[in-house]
Amino acid sequence: MAPSLSSSFINPPKFSTFNELPCSFHHFCFHPQSKLQFKPFSPQPSPLVAHFSNRKKKCNVLNEGVNGSVEEESYYNAMEDKQFVRSFREAWPYLWAYRGSTFVLIISGEVVSGPFLDPILKARSSNFNFSVSSFLHHLGIRFVIVPGTHVQIDKLLTERGCQPKYVGRYRITDKESLEAAMEAAGGIRLMIEAKLSPGPSICNIRRHGDNSRWHDVGVSVASGNFLAAKRRGVVNGIDFGSTGEVKKVDASRMRERLDAGCVVILTNLGYSSSGEVLNCNTYEVATACALAIGADKLICIIDGPILDENGRLIHFLPLQEADMLIRRRAEQSETAANYVKAVDEEGFNSHEHNNFNGTVKSLPNGQHFTEWHNATFHNGIGFENGNGLGSSEQGFAIGGQERLSRMNGYLSELAAAAFVCRGGVQRVHLLDGTISGVLLLELFKRDGMGTMVASDLYEGTRMAQSKDMSGIKQIIQPLEASGILVKRTDEELLQTLDHFVVVEREGQIIACGALLPYFEDKCGEIAAIAVSPDCRGQGQGDKLLDYMEKKASSLGLDMLFLLTTRTADWFVRRGFSECSIEYIPEKKRRTINLSRKSKYYMKKLLPNKSGITVAGKLASN
């Protein structure tokens, strides 16, 4: 079994049914995967059905039986083909959402040097073989790949009769270690370039008639001196030799290569201003790169899963919870202590990119991230400490004996994930690289296959309190006046206040909505969704609806319904389908104002296997 984060995690209760309510951290509720069901063929099919059934057979005239009969074989596999269509439909929203995104992919040294690299970078079946990274690249995802080298370096040193030496998170890089580092980095880079080179299978594309690109390289690869470094020097009397610390990530030149359609490979070798080659920490390089280029995701391929103390996969960790778990281990773990020091004493502003709003509730010191120490980020040059030298704390280094021994499980990787989330990378994924195709499964399956650490999921979203009345009224009254929402008196609003969910930013309510459960019918009503005009177009409505869907699932509800006159398109795009009034619970039907001629919509809730839970009690309706 892979190492876990052991005692850091709260024991998750075991739920016997889906109706039990998870209300605290790490309440996972697993459900058996639903199976496709197909109706059996009628014993007396209609002529039309019989006609199409006959068309599903073809004669193989080259393979006649002994008795001269012609064997028939089916060329339509209903189960396989329907599964293919189902999978493609499930992946479609992500294909659309990821286009134009930038992902930094770090592959740990254990995975690079083991047998699992091929299954990550390539996908194989009986009739095709393609590069996963090339496939994602051609879908419009921009990749920076940072491969780990420490396993290869240690192996080369051992073969040459030298002993690898670590102090804390860093390697002591003497002459022999530097030679091994350059050899390992160069060899790994060439190997990855080779794995990215194959184009699509000629056998698969030939039948479509296009032969103009049969011999094209799968994807163009760029690498170079994107990383400026400085010597770590002598620390506490220990000379680290040619070990480097990240001084600058040349983000502008990397973006140029990405914009030109290249996959960038960034090794851990940095270059000093005096022309030296320096051996840097791979995670420090990857995290600094993700922050410098404003990556949408940092994806860490490691050699095992992130498990709780009961051996179950942790699907999701909000940043606040990850931060707490790391802080609890600060006295036992040097990596955890370094994390606390980096974020508390030195600190940094969130790097403004995408739509990261820079605030997360419940920080240990009660401050917003944007109120922390004023370090400045200059176009990928690095954090300036006032004397013209870049601080190495722009990235987060992990390594040394603590990580190699796994005495604290994957706490080191979790600390790196939380660090970059604080810097503005909204999603970090920690994936078990021993699972074939894990990258595709994580990116294109609804519940993923690894552990996601997120800085902005449901940020500021909570159940409403009495103090929120005025803020809710301020948002919904203009929509009531225009006829989009049903008018509610103050008394009616107060009676349903316990059902409202709000999104708060800097003390102001910027979005609201109500989830009214009908437990006897196992369904809930979505009502009064409204977003402040100043915050529209930022995804607040989607965040609110997703939060309420997770809340409904945790309450054991199977369906959601709503009434609308003007906003049907918005809900249809989010999975709701029009229905008749007969599908609305009878208790609700008795209160409907039929003169409004509202349209009715419903949505079936899927089992929540993501590990994402929402807290807060909801009164029965």
Side-chain angles (χ1 to χ4, degrees):
M1 179 182 294
S4 70
L5 290 176
S6 65
S7 60
S8 298
F9 297 93
I10 299 172
N11 291 324
K14 298 180 180 178
F15 298 99
S16 58
T17 67
F18 184 64
N19 294 331
E20 297 182 58
L21 170 62
C23 293
S24 62
F25 290 141
H26 293 318
H27 289 191
F28 302 113
C29 190
F30 298 98
H31 303 273
Q33 188 173 1
S34 58
K35 297 181 179 178
L36 290 172
Q37 297 180 354
F38 303 100
K39 295 182 179 179
F41 288 103
S42 170
Q44 294 181 339
S46 67
L48 184 61
V49 172
H51 169 72
F52 281 103
S53 297
N54 291 334
R55 289 186 62 189
K56 294 179 183 177
K57 302 289 185 181
K58 68 177 181 178
C59 294
N60 185 349
V61 296
L62 298 178
N63 189 17
E64 296 188 2
V66 177
N67 59 1
S69 64
V70 178
E71 293 183 1
E72 293 182 342
E73 65 178 15
S74 172
Y75 68 91
Y76 173 68
N77 186 325
M79 179 68 75
E80 181 180 330
D81 291 346
K82 288 187 177 182
Q83 180 61 43
F84 174 82
V85 173
R86 180 188 178 193
S87 299
F88 199 81
R89 285 174 175 165
E90 184 178 358
W92 154 242
Y94 307 103
L95 297 173
W96 177 82
Y98 294 153
R99 187 165 186 83
S101 299
T102 302
F103 297 170
V104 174
L105 176 66
I106 178 171
I107 308 176
S108 74
E110 292 82 3
V111 173
V112 169
S113 302
F116 306 110
L117 185 61
D118 260 13
I120 292 170
L121 294 180
K122 292 184 178 180
R124 289 189 177 94
S125 78
S126 57
N127 60 355
F128 70 89
N129 177 3
F130 71 92
S131 165
V132 172
S133 298
S134 296
F135 168 68
L136 297 174
H137 170 78
H138 289 299
L139 289 176
I141 300 174
R142 295 144 42 110
F143 268 104
V144 178
I145 300 177
V146 186
T149 60
H150 73 273
V151 174
Q152 288 276 37
I153 296 172
D154 288 350
K155 181 180 178 182
L156 289 171
L157 288 174
T158 302
E159 289 174 351
R160 296 167 186 177
C162 301
Q163 182 69 30
K165 296 183 285 290
Y166 294 90
V167 174
R169 299 174 288 172
Y170 293 91
R171 179 191 300 275
I172 295 178
T173 308
D174 53 20
K175 179 181 178 182
E176 292 77 14
S177 298
L178 182 59
E179 291 175 355
M182 291 191 290
E183 182 176 339
I188 290 170
R189 177 180 59 81
L190 291 173
M191 177 181 63
I192 293 177
E193 287 179 357
K195 294 182 184 301
L196 294 176
S197 295
S201 169
I202 292 178
C203 296
N204 289 340
I205 64 174
R206 182 167 49 200
R207 67 187 296 266
H208 295 286
D210 181 10
N211 61 2
S212 61
R213 302 180 61 188
W214 279 5
H215 303 292
D216 283 4
V217 172
V219 61
S220 297
V221 178
S223 59
N225 57 341
F226 300 118
L227 185 66
K230 65 182 183 70
R231 280 181 175 266
R232 180 163 174 77
V234 179
V235 180
N236 295 327
I238 298 172
D239 186 355
F240 282 85
S242 295
T243 296
E245 292 181 341
V246 176
K247 183 179 180 182
K248 170 184 175 180
V249 176
D250 197 335
S252 59
R253 283 204 303 136
M254 290 180 66
R255 291 193 193 101
E256 288 175 3
R257 304 301 191 276
L258 294 170
D259 292 342
C262 295
V263 169
V264 173
I265 298 179
L266 182 64
T267 72
N268 65 310
L269 296 181
Y271 304 91
S272 73
S273 56
S274 60
E276 296 177 293
V277 178
L278 299 176
N279 176 38
C280 299
N281 181 280
T282 300
Y283 265 84
E284 184 179 333
V285 171
T287 52
C289 173
L291 293 170
I293 67 174
D296 298 283
K297 292 180 185 289
L298 173 64
I299 302 173
C300 307
I301 309 290
I302 55 182
D303 61 339
I306 305 292
L307 305 175
D308 64 19
E309 61 185 5
N310 291 323
R312 291 187 289 190
L313 177 68
I314 299 171
H315 286 276
F316 172 71
L317 277 171
L319 175 57
Q320 300 97 313
E321 187 176 344
D323 181 87
M324 265 197 316
L325 294 171
I326 298 165
R327 288 175 183 275
R328 289 175 189 164
R329 301 292 287 275
E331 293 183 1
Q332 307 152 5
S333 164
E334 181 185 0
T335 300
N338 287 326
Y339 166 85
V340 173
K341 177 181 178 182
V343 300
D344 283 359
E345 293 183 5
E346 296 186 24
F348 50 83
N349 279 339
S350 64
H351 182 200
E352 295 181 0
H353 67 89
N354 301 330
N355 288 321
F356 183 67
N357 53 42
T359 62
V360 174
K361 292 173 67 63
S362 303
L363 287 176
N365 56 9
Q367 292 180 301
H368 295 302
F369 290 149
T370 50
E371 295 172 357
W372 286 17
H373 176 74
N374 269 336
T376 307
F377 203 87
H378 295 289
N379 190 29
I381 294 177
F383 295 97
E384 298 293 337
N385 59 15
N387 60 6
L389 295 176
S391 167
S392 64
E393 293 299 332
Q394 63 167 305
F396 190 80
I398 67 173
Q401 291 303 322
E402 179 181 343
R403 180 173 179 272
L404 293 174
S405 66
R406 291 299 181 202
M407 65 179 70
N408 288 302
Y410 291 98
L411 184 68
S412 297
E413 285 80 0
L414 181 62
F419 183 88
V420 294
C421 274
R422 285 188 174 280
V425 177
Q426 296 182 357
R427 302 283 192 276
V428 181
H429 301 257
L430 302 169
L431 309 183
D432 180 1
T434 66
I435 299 174
S436 180
V438 67
L439 189 56
L440 292 177
L441 293 170
E442 176 69 10
L443 292 178
F444 297 111
K445 285 194 67 175
R446 184 175 70 97
D447 296 319
M449 187 55 73
T451 300
M452 180 175 74
V453 180
S455 63
D456 68 336
L457 197 67
Y458 307 142
E459 173 266 323
T461 308
R462 57 174 175 79
M463 301 305 299
Q465 304 169 6
S466 57
K467 65 178 183 179
D468 302 320
M469 267 281 288
S470 60
I472 294 173
K473 287 173 59 178
Q474 186 176 357
I475 294 176
I476 66 176
Q477 280 179 345
L479 299 177
E480 291 176 345
S482 64
I484 295 176
L485 295 181
V486 176
K487 290 185 177 180
R488 293 170 174 79
T489 65
D490 287 353
E491 183 180 358
E492 290 172 333
L493 188 60
L494 187 60
Q495 288 175 349
T496 58
L497 186 63
D498 288 340
H499 300 286
F500 268 84
V501 178
V502 297
V503 181
E504 181 183 20
R505 178 186 291 172
E506 296 179 356
Q508 301 295 318
I509 303 301
I510 62 171
C512 68
L515 171 61
L516 308 169
Y518 292 81
F519 291 109
E520 61 276 12
D521 297 286
K522 298 197 73 175
C523 64
E525 179 185 5
I526 297 293
I529 286 189
V531 179
S532 171
D534 296 335
C535 300
R536 290 172 188 166
Q538 300 176 7
Q540 300 298 337
D542 283 294
K543 180 167 66 176
L544 191 67
L545 179 60
D546 193 55
Y547 183 96
M548 289 194 287
E549 288 182 4
K550 294 292 189 301
K551 171 63 70 176
S553 290
S554 71
L555 292 171
L557 305 182
D558 295 334
M559 302 282 290
L560 291 177
F561 72 89
L562 60 91
L563 285 68
T564 184
T565 57
R566 306 265 300 275
T567 59
D569 289 347
W570 192 88
F571 287 102
V572 168
R573 284 203 65 191
R574 285 144 183 88
F576 285 81
S577 301
E578 189 171 2
C579 64
S580 65
I581 194 172
E582 285 75 20
Y583 286 91
I584 306 301
E586 183 179 354
K587 185 178 179 181
K588 173 64 181 178
R589 271 185 271 168
R590 293 197 296 263
T591 66
I592 294 176
N593 180 4
L594 297 178
S595 65
R596 279 179 58 86
K597 298 188 181 300
S598 299
K599 300 289 186 180
Y600 311 104
Y601 288 83
M602 297 196 76
K603 178 178 182 178
K604 181 174 176 58
L605 294 173
L606 296 174
N608 178 19
K609 297 182 290 184
S610 66
I612 302 174
T613 60
V614 292
K617 296 183 179 180
L618 201 64
S620 59
N621 192 31

